[in-house]
Amino acid sequence: MLLENRIAFVTAGGAGIGRAGALAMAAEGALVVVTDLDAALAQETADQIAALGGVAEAAGLDVTDDAALASAIAETVLRHGRLDILHSHAGVQIPGRLDQVSVEQMDASWRLNVRAHFVAAQAAMSVMKAQGRGSIILTASNSGVQYDREMIAYATTKHAVIAMAKQIAVDFARHNVRCNALCPGFIDTKFNAGFESQMGGRAALEDYVAQAIPMARFGTATEIADGIVFLASDHSTFMTGQALVIDGAESL
């Protein structure tokens, strides 16, 4: 198995891409610490992993609480003696143009989409650097390599995540700790609520997907999970500082 005996820590692992990635890493042998703002959803993911023969732990976690986030990662290391994979996935999608998004909404986007990744990566790096190996995966979006209409908070913060991943990568490559940005396109999950609202409803979103994405369909959480396993595993040992875009060619 690709991730046998490795310890993985996942934020926002209670649903969608976060859950799919946790399940996929556990299927490849990792012990996965699943966290989510909703502790019950995190436990559901852990229960699904256990039902499939994997090993997981679950906990509620608000990643906008810096101390709680850093502590959860430190406690994982204390329990298991190491941390091999961080998938910092939590994020928020607030639609709107410059004249429609409040300063408070922009701050909320930054705190969840950027700052939480920084805090999580900082806590993980203190362990991974000492180990001499590790993989940090920060969820950005294909919105980080293009510009979505009327999505200033989302596009700005997702571009920032990619810049952060590149900076971490170049600063810590010599320590054999890799950092990459995961950039999904349209995946059919509840996270699309912002885009759906901005586009005028589900039918409009489906029409956009059919017209704007060359593959003419949504991606699946499982397809993104395959990318997560790739970035977490030794199949990507010479890859760092990259934006792995999985979007059916939408951004081209």
Side-chain angles (χ1 to χ4, degrees), residues 186 199 203-218 247-252:
F186 273 103
M199 289 178 183
L205 176 60
E206 290 180 349
D207 183 63
Y208 173 85
V209 167
Q211 298 299 320
I213 299 176
M215 292 188 75
R217 67 172 177 86
F218 285 100
D247 70 349
E250 179 196 4
S251 57
L252 298 180

Side-chain angles (χ1 to χ4, degrees), residues 99-136:
D99 58 343
Q100 296 171 327
V101 173
S102 69
V103 172
E104 292 76 18
Q105 288 176 312
M106 188 61 164
D107 284 345
S109 296
W110 189 267
R111 187 167 186 84
L112 191 54
N113 291 353
V114 183
R115 182 185 174 116
H117 286 327
F118 175 86
V119 173
Q122 191 173 62
M125 186 60 73
S126 66
V127 179
M128 292 179 176
K129 180 182 175 184
Q131 290 174 176
R133 68 174 294 153
S135 176
I136 294 173

Side-chain angles (χ1 to χ4, degrees), residues 5-56:
N5 298 321
R6 298 192 191 179
I7 307 300
F9 186 96
V10 179
T11 69
I17 291 170
R19 174 174 285 181
L23 286 164
M25 287 193 287
E28 290 293 343
L31 183 155
V32 183
V33 179
V34 183
T35 68
D36 196 276
L37 182 61
D38 187 330
L41 289 177
Q43 188 61 57
E44 283 182 14
T45 300
D47 289 344
Q48 287 185 24
I49 288 171
L52 294 169
V55 182

Side-chain angles (χ1 to χ4, degrees), residues 93-220:
Q93 187 184 91
I94 295 175
R97 303 185 310 258
L98 176 66
D99 58 343
Q100 296 171 327
V101 173
S102 69
V103 172
E104 292 76 18
Q105 288 176 312
M106 188 61 164
D107 284 345
S109 296
W110 189 267
R111 187 167 186 84
L112 191 54
N113 291 353
V114 183
R115 182 185 174 116
H117 286 327
F118 175 86
V119 173
Q122 191 173 62
M125 186 60 73
S126 66
V127 179
M128 292 179 176
K129 180 182 175 184
Q131 290 174 176
R133 68 174 294 153
S135 176
I136 294 173
I137 304 165
L138 307 180
T139 295
S141 167
N142 72 340
S143 296
V145 297
Q146 62 181 357
Y147 296 93
D148 292 305
R149 301 298 180 264
E150 301 183 7
M151 295 292 286
I152 189 168
Y154 193 66
T156 298
T157 54
K158 293 305 183 179
H159 275 75
V161 174
I162 293 174
M164 187 186 339
K166 290 178 180 292
Q167 187 66 57
I168 293 169
V170 76
D171 286 342
F172 291 93
R174 69 189 62 189
H175 300 288
N176 198 33
V177 179
R178 300 181 297 108
C179 184
N180 292 286
L182 178 72
C183 300
F186 273 103
I187 309 304
D188 199 7
T189 71
K190 293 180 180 179
F191 193 75
N192 288 324
F195 277 113
E196 185 172 320
S197 173
Q198 187 253 2
M199 289 178 183
R202 176 71 184 190
L205 176 60
E206 290 180 349
D207 183 63
Y208 173 85
V209 167
Q211 298 299 320
I213 299 176
M215 292 188 75
R217 67 172 177 86
F218 285 100
T220 68

